[in-house]
Amino acid sequence: MNIFLTGATGFIGKYAARELLAAGHSVRALARDPARLGGLLPLGVQPVHGSLADARALREGMRGCEVIVHLAGHYAMWSRTPELFWQVNVDGARAVMQAAIESGARRVVHMSTVAVWGRPAACPFDEDTPRAARLLSQYARSKAAGERAAREMCAAAGLPLTVLYPGIVLGAGDDRPSGDYIRLLAFRRTPSDIFPNTPVTYVAVRDVAAALRLAVENPAAAGRGYLIGSETLLGRDFTDLVSRLSGAPRPPLRLPDWLVRAASYPFTALAQVTGRPPLWTLSVDAGRTMHAGFCFDGSRAARELGLRYTPVRDALDEAIRQYRREKS
């Protein structure tokens, strides 16, 4: 199958490209700098030079592709240039869907996020649970808007759309806020863990890539949405697991939730002045999101797609081992 892929230079995208190539698919990958595709090039990825704002590159790259996979996104819990969330996650989604429609693609697989549910009343919730009216971060709001645009455009064009919603993604190569927090705990760079009683559902990055491949290959996935996550851990249990795997002691303090939330405001204000990310990665959006948490049931993907989940411990161990190698 010929597949056009955005976001192949990102954390999830690199795993997804390898997964698709290993299954025998032909993958064209959009990249502003094709050199960033690195190790994917020897595996057979065909680079398409361009960006989400380059309509011509999108159309030409998609020519002859049956499935369009849109992974590219701006994921952060703080940004000095918040307009990037909307340019990438909303305008970028619109551009990809328009090119997919014009190219004659048969299907689209779009990567969203569990954050678009906000904080629903149910725990665990599933794909049929109504979403909360209030979303907790600029990232979540922009991803929700991008997903709405994708759904509306694909529905109007009769183009089948599948949407994936991963939880917190773990694995080697994570340079995102989740990876930053693991590093803080594993290398004793934070005096306290945060929100010990909050539940969060995690998933291995390899499982997200596998879910994407399965959604591409299974025609029955058209028109469906899938939460992707396997295990839910309380904050304190996650810290204990990082401690056991890394050999680092637990942080010496346990700050109350209200104090952590309060600290996120001056930390964010200082970041706006310095241009550097907030201390301990604790922005206002991160504080809201992690305090609320999310506890969901990812079994639909297992039932309908045949996805087999990896133990979260294995994914976390793989990540910590890589962080150690980087540090040495």
Side-chain angles (χ1 to χ4, degrees):
M1 193 178 298
N2 295 320
I3 297 168
F4 181 86
L5 173 65
T6 73
T9 61
F11 172 47
I12 296 174
K14 291 176 181 176
Y15 282 86
R18 292 190 190 101
E19 178 80 16
L20 291 167
L21 289 166
H25 299 293
S26 172
V27 178
R28 298 180 196 167
L30 181 73
R32 290 191 299 271
D33 179 6
R36 291 188 59 206
L37 292 168
L40 295 175
L41 295 172
L43 298 178
V45 158
Q46 303 166 40
V48 176
H49 185 223
S51 70
L52 297 179
D54 188 340
R56 180 178 178 181
L58 289 172
R59 287 195 303 270
E60 292 182 354
M62 291 180 187
R63 187 177 294 121
C65 290
E66 294 98 330
V67 181
I68 310 305
V69 176
H70 181 43
L71 297 188
H74 182 52
Y75 170 51
M77 285 292 109
W78 172 81
S79 177
R80 203 177 188 187
T81 52
E83 60 269 19
L84 279 176
F85 289 110
W86 305 93
Q87 291 171 0
V88 177
N89 297 342
V90 184
D91 295 343
R94 289 195 182 104
V96 169
M97 300 307 141
Q98 184 62 40
I101 292 165
E102 293 175 0
S103 72
R106 296 177 186 173
R107 293 179 52 213
V108 174
V109 178
H110 175 69
M111 186 68 72
S112 186
T113 168
V114 67
V116 299
W117 261 267
R119 190 179 187 179
C123 180
F125 61 90
D126 62 20
E127 292 86 352
D128 297 322
T129 301
R131 302 181 186 186
R134 177 173 176 254
L135 300 182
L136 304 175
S137 66
Q138 294 219 54
Y139 170 67
R141 290 188 286 275
S142 66
K143 288 295 287 184
E147 182 191 333
R148 282 196 300 273
R151 288 187 178 280
E152 290 168 1
M153 294 176 70
C154 288
L159 179 60
L161 175 71
T162 303
V163 185
L164 304 183
Y165 307 92
I168 294 291
V169 184
L170 303 175
D174 187 2
D175 57 356
R176 308 171 315 153
S178 48
D180 292 339
Y181 182 59
I182 295 167
R183 288 181 178 89
L184 289 175
L185 293 172
F187 299 139
R188 310 179 192 183
R189 294 175 182 166
T190 178
S192 173
D193 59 354
I194 58 173
F195 308 126
N197 298 312
T198 297
V200 173
T201 302
Y202 297 91
V203 63
V205 64
R206 296 182 189 279
D207 295 349
V208 179
L212 185 148
R213 174 184 59 79
L214 291 165
V216 164
E217 295 174 343
N218 189 343
R224 301 289 280 166
Y226 298 95
L227 284 159
I228 310 298
S230 57
E231 296 177 42
T232 300
L233 299 174
L234 296 178
R236 61 175 176 268
D237 297 328
F238 183 79
T239 300
D240 286 341
L241 186 53
V242 173
S243 178
R244 290 197 300 273
L245 293 172
S246 67
R250 286 186 56 92
L253 303 178
R254 178 161 287 179
L255 301 178
D257 290 357
W258 67 266
L259 183 57
V260 174
R261 288 289 306 277
S264 71
Y265 288 89
F267 288 177
T268 302
L270 181 61
Q272 292 298 122
V273 173
T274 65
R276 296 183 175 183
L279 187 63
W280 305 329
T281 72
L282 185 59
S283 66
V284 171
D285 279 3
R288 288 196 192 107
T289 301
M290 296 311 296
H291 184 236
F294 43 82
C295 167
F296 67 81
D297 175 4
S299 63
R300 175 188 285 182
R303 292 193 309 272
E304 296 188 7
L305 300 179
L307 179 62
R308 296 182 179 180
Y309 283 115
T310 303
V312 163
R313 177 190 177 93
D314 293 352
L316 189 54
D317 184 52
E318 183 178 291
I320 291 171
R321 288 176 185 275
Q322 187 213 14
Y323 301 155
R324 282 176 175 164
R325 288 194 297 271
E326 292 173 346
K327 191 180 179 184
S328 62

